[in-house]
């Protein structure tokens, strides 16, 4: 895809195409919103009683007469709430792959037991949303304006009329901050955040973080690059806006950083490279976007990719730019990078 075409995307579209989604994948993605409706296998939400109040990361306070039960959420948020025992009625966002299997962002949810209102960017069935009688819509936000992630611009006003919204920020903050906020939200919805399960997951996350800090300290010269692949372009993400990369950087990981000028085209998130120039940066470890909307390393056929030192050395690992914000799901993200650093050789 040409840079000229990329510049005609909306700001929100550019965000989706940059550090969060591959640009080519956004425009080429396909899917459908058919799914069986029904409740989740998790414990019912709304176990707490009385009025419900929650102030989200936009500074918006939502007040309801009771703890909401009819919840509709972005798929990744629903997956995080699932881990805390909170069920949702409907989801929107990447939920199932083209072969009908759960998308990586669906986590452990049984996707046959939630109503899928939209499976790709731009899809959101407002009529089906209304039929669920939603009490609250919950999603994330990836910009300073608090734009609701995966809520289409053209239908956002209709959607807003049906239920109040809550947004947890995943923009320009570290992963541990967003994890704490999601836990706070789950607690407000009735989750038992003092349970042994939650305490164990948080402890494992903290232990993994300590391991990563030690690994980064032991190998400060190992350079890590965060990448994402589309048919026409390869994206190199900067660490300044992404909650996972900001967290890893704070633990000492040495990231390759595109210049601010190079990232400007990508809304500050990323630099786009042609496949001919994919060797611009010398990386010892490459973290590759693991979402179904992007091309995975095993499917990249470009010869320039295969010649990269990190690829030849087998030092390529998965990265989740939109992590499921539960401690349980984020443990592996930290552990995998720690292990990669521990085993890495200087190859760039």
């Amino acid at each position: 895809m040409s840079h000229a075409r990329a510049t005609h995307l909306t700001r929100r579209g550019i965000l989706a195409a940059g550090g969060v989604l591959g640009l080519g994948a956004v425009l080429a993605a396909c899917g459908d919103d058919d799914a069986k409706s029904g409740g989740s296998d998790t414990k019912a939400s709304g176990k707490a009683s009385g009025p419900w109040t929650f102030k989200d990361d936009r500074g918006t306070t939502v007040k309801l007469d009771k703890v909401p039960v009819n919840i509709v959420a972005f798929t990744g948020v629903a997956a995080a709430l699932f881990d805390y025992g909170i069920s949702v009625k409907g989801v929107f966002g990447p939920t199932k792959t083209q072969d009908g299997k759960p998308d990586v962002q669906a986590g452990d949810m049984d996707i046959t037991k939630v109503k899928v209102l939209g499976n790709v960017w731009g899809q959101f069935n407002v009529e089906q949303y209304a039929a669920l009688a939603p009490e609250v819509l919950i999603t994330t936000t990836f910009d300073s304006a608090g734009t609701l992630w995966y809520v289409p611009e053209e239908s956002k006003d209709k959607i807003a009329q049906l239920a109040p919204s809550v947004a947890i920020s995943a923009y320009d903050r570290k992963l541990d901050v967003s994890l704490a906020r999601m836990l706070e939200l789950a607690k407000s919805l009735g989750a038992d955040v003092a349970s042994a399960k939650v305490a164990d997951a948080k402890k494992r996350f903290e232990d993994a973080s300590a391991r990563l800090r030690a690994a980064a300290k032991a190998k400060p010269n190992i350079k890590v690059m965060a990448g994402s692949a589309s048919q026409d372009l390869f994206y190199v993400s900067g660490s300044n806006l992404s909650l996972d990369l900001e967290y890893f950087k704070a633990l000492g990981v040495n990231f390759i950083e595109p210049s601010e000028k190079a990232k400007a085209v990508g809304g500050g998130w990323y630099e786009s490279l042609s496949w001919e120039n994919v060797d611009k940066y010398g990386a010892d470890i490459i973290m590759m976007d693991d979402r179904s909307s992007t091309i995975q390393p095993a499917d990249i056929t470009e010869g320039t990719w295969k010649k990269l030192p990190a690829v030849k050395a087998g030092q390529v690992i998965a990265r989740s730019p939109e992590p499921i914000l539960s401690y349980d799901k984020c443990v592996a993200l930290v552990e995998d990078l720690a292990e990669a650093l521990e085993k890495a050789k200087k190859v760039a």
Side-chain angles (χ1 to χ4, degrees):
M1 177 171 297
S2 69
H3 292 285
R5 185 174 180 185
T7 58
H8 284 84
L9 291 173
T10 63
R11 177 184 178 188
R12 191 174 182 202
I14 289 175
L15 173 60
V20 184
L21 295 175
L23 180 57
V26 171
L27 299 178
C30 61
D32 61 77
D33 61 359
D34 295 328
K36 298 178 181 179
S37 61
S40 169
D41 285 338
T42 60
K43 299 176 183 178
S45 63
K47 290 178 288 185
S49 60
W52 183 74
T53 300
F54 188 83
K55 185 176 182 179
D56 76 358
D57 291 338
R58 300 170 299 175
T60 299
T61 299
V62 177
K63 297 181 179 180
L64 299 175
D65 293 337
K66 62 183 180 67
V67 177
V69 175
N70 289 352
I71 300 171
V72 172
F74 171 69
T75 302
V77 170
L81 293 176
F82 181 97
D83 286 350
Y84 292 125
I86 302 298
S87 66
V88 305
K89 297 293 184 181
V91 296
F92 56 95
T95 306
K96 60 182 178 179
T97 59
Q98 292 184 8
D99 59 5
K101 295 180 180 179
D103 188 273
V104 64
Q105 294 193 64
D108 293 331
M109 284 193 302
D110 183 345
I111 63 172
T112 68
K113 295 187 176 182
V114 292
K115 186 68 176 177
V116 182
L117 304 175
N119 197 54
V120 299
W121 186 264
Q123 283 186 350
F124 194 113
N125 192 310
V126 180
E127 289 73 22
Q128 292 179 357
Y129 177 58
L132 292 175
E135 294 172 283
V136 66
L137 179 149
I138 308 175
T139 186
T140 48
T141 182
F142 282 89
D143 61 26
S144 59
T147 305
L148 298 179
W149 189 237
Y150 264 82
V151 173
E153 184 72 21
E154 60 273 16
S155 55
K156 67 177 184 179
D157 292 339
K158 292 181 180 179
I159 293 168
Q161 292 174 5
L162 295 170
S165 61
V166 165
I168 298 297
S169 180
Y171 174 75
D172 197 20
R173 58 172 51 181
K174 293 191 286 291
L175 178 62
D176 56 338
V177 177
S178 293
L179 281 170
R181 286 292 285 150
M182 188 62 73
L183 185 67
E184 184 179 354
L185 173 61
K187 179 181 179 180
S188 78
L189 294 169
D192 181 8
V193 300
S195 69
K197 178 182 178 181
V198 173
D200 175 69
K202 187 175 182 180
K203 178 64 164 54
R204 287 186 292 114
F205 176 80
E206 292 169 348
D207 289 346
S209 298
R211 179 184 174 187
L212 177 56
R213 185 188 296 276
K217 184 177 181 180
K219 294 187 177 179
N221 294 326
I222 295 295
K223 293 184 178 181
V224 181
M225 180 170 69
S228 183
S230 70
Q231 181 177 353
D232 299 318
L233 295 171
F234 182 84
Y235 306 94
V236 180
S237 294
S239 65
N240 293 336
L241 299 178
S242 300
L243 77 171
D244 62 327
L245 302 186
E246 284 202 10
Y247 184 65
F248 299 152
K249 181 172 64 175
L251 293 175
V253 177
N254 182 8
F255 281 104
I256 287 171
E257 300 284 0
S259 68
E260 292 303 315
K261 182 178 180 180
K263 291 188 298 181
V265 177
W269 287 88
Y270 70 100
E271 176 182 3
S272 58
L273 299 173
S274 66
W275 284 105
E276 290 78 10
N277 295 316
V278 73
D279 59 353
K280 178 178 178 179
Y281 298 106
D284 301 297
I285 296 173
I286 302 177
M287 302 175 67
M288 288 296 290
D289 190 334
D290 69 351
R291 286 163 301 176
S292 56
S293 55
T294 64
I295 301 175
Q296 297 306 298
D299 299 319
I300 299 175
T301 59
E302 299 290 341
T304 48
W305 163 261
K306 296 180 180 181
K307 293 179 181 178
L308 293 178
V311 176
K312 293 171 68 175
Q315 295 180 173
V316 178
I317 64 171
R319 176 201 171 207
S320 297
E322 288 181 71
I324 294 171
L325 294 174
S326 72
Y327 288 104
D328 179 72
K329 291 298 181 291
C330 288
V331 171
L333 306 183
V334 184
E335 286 184 336
D336 289 350
L337 181 53
E339 182 178 4
L341 276 171
E342 291 165 352
K343 296 179 177 179
K345 297 179 180 180
K346 186 68 180 175
V347 295

